[in-house]
Amino acid sequence: GPTGPFTYIKSVDSLAVALGVSPEVLVRALELASDPKAYRLTRAIVKRKPRMFTAPKDALLVSIHRRLLDFLRPLNDALHPSCVAYVPERKPIEAAAPHSGQEWTQKLDIADFFPSTTTSRVRETFEHLGAPREVASVLAGLTTYEDALPTGAQTSPLLSNLDLADFDYTVATLAESRGIAYTRYSDDLIF
């Protein structure tokens, strides 16, 4: 799986510098990340099921998410080609094309995709990418709300892909060794 841009980020202060903010601003953003007033909650019906979308609305928190996304965006290049959703330059058709004309296709769904990605999983993902534990904890705190990736946060799609990066590499390798095509489009695993 991918490794990260954290070789020169050894502390929370150096993370603040990398994001172009002061350490005090970063601490304030971390406080906001757990404040319900900093989020917009929207109910919607998706595929006949009620869903709750949670998105940062506080200007500082939105700005920090944007800066984090810019900082992490180069990691898209390290994602396995089977990972299609939320990756610039990759199209939805790429998730379906390897399965076209096959004798059978099986689609599995990861239930509660963003909400099932917990703060501890996000912290572990950042650590796997090379962030020291303290930095990884701050990053996880900034990008999760109520112990999950917020469904409407702009960082959640990339973080979910990074969380499943090793999974995609492992499953794709196993599937290929058995002559089976594998793709993942967000929470849909297609064989």
Side-chain angles (χ1 to χ4, degrees):
T3 57
F6 294 99
T7 53
Y8 64 93
I9 297 178
K10 303 294 183 203
S11 67
V12 175
D13 286 351
S14 60
L15 174 63
V17 169
L19 296 176
V21 298
S22 70
E24 296 78 21
V25 167
L26 191 60
V27 167
R28 176 65 185 134
L30 186 58
E31 291 167 355
L32 286 168
S34 60
D35 183 350
K37 292 181 219 140
Y39 293 85
R40 180 183 318 103
L41 304 176
T42 308
R43 292 185 194 276
I45 303 295
V46 178
K47 297 181 184 176
R48 298 182 188 164
K49 293 181 183 178
R51 290 252 175 110
M52 180 64 77
F53 291 89
T54 307
K57 70 175 181 180
D58 180 88
L60 174 58
L61 196 52
V62 169
S63 173
I64 290 293
H65 274 247
R66 213 174 270 135
R67 290 166 187 257
L68 277 170
L69 188 59
D70 288 342
F71 180 74
L72 297 171
R73 191 171 279 126
L75 292 172
N76 277 308
D77 294 339
L79 295 171
H80 192 275
S82 64
C83 172
V84 177
Y86 317 125
V87 182
E89 309 298 323
R90 296 188 190 173
K91 312 265 185 272
I93 190 77
E94 293 176 53
H99 311 288
S100 178
Q102 297 299 317
E103 190 174 324
W104 60 269
T105 301
Q106 176 69 50
K107 185 178 102 175
L108 306 171
D109 181 80
I110 300 172
D112 299 321
F113 186 53
F114 288 141
S116 68
T117 306
T118 63
T119 303
S120 63
R121 286 188 63 89
V122 174
R123 181 185 39 76
E124 290 167 5
T125 296
F126 281 121
E127 287 178 350
H128 177 74
L129 293 169
R133 186 166 185 92
E134 181 186 21
V135 171
S137 293
V138 168
L139 288 166
L142 288 167
T143 56
T144 59
Y145 175 68
E146 294 185 346
D147 197 31
L149 285 178
T151 306
Q154 58 188 334
T155 51
S156 293
L158 177 55
L159 290 176
S160 68
N161 279 343
L162 292 172
D163 177 51
L164 290 176
D166 285 342
F167 174 85
D168 287 333
Y169 276 91
T170 300
V171 172
T173 300
L174 289 171
E176 184 178 323
S177 73
R178 290 163 174 78
I180 299 170
Y182 163 74
T183 56
R184 182 175 62 80
Y185 192 85
S186 184
D187 60 347
D188 292 325
L189 313 176
I190 309 165
F191 297 89

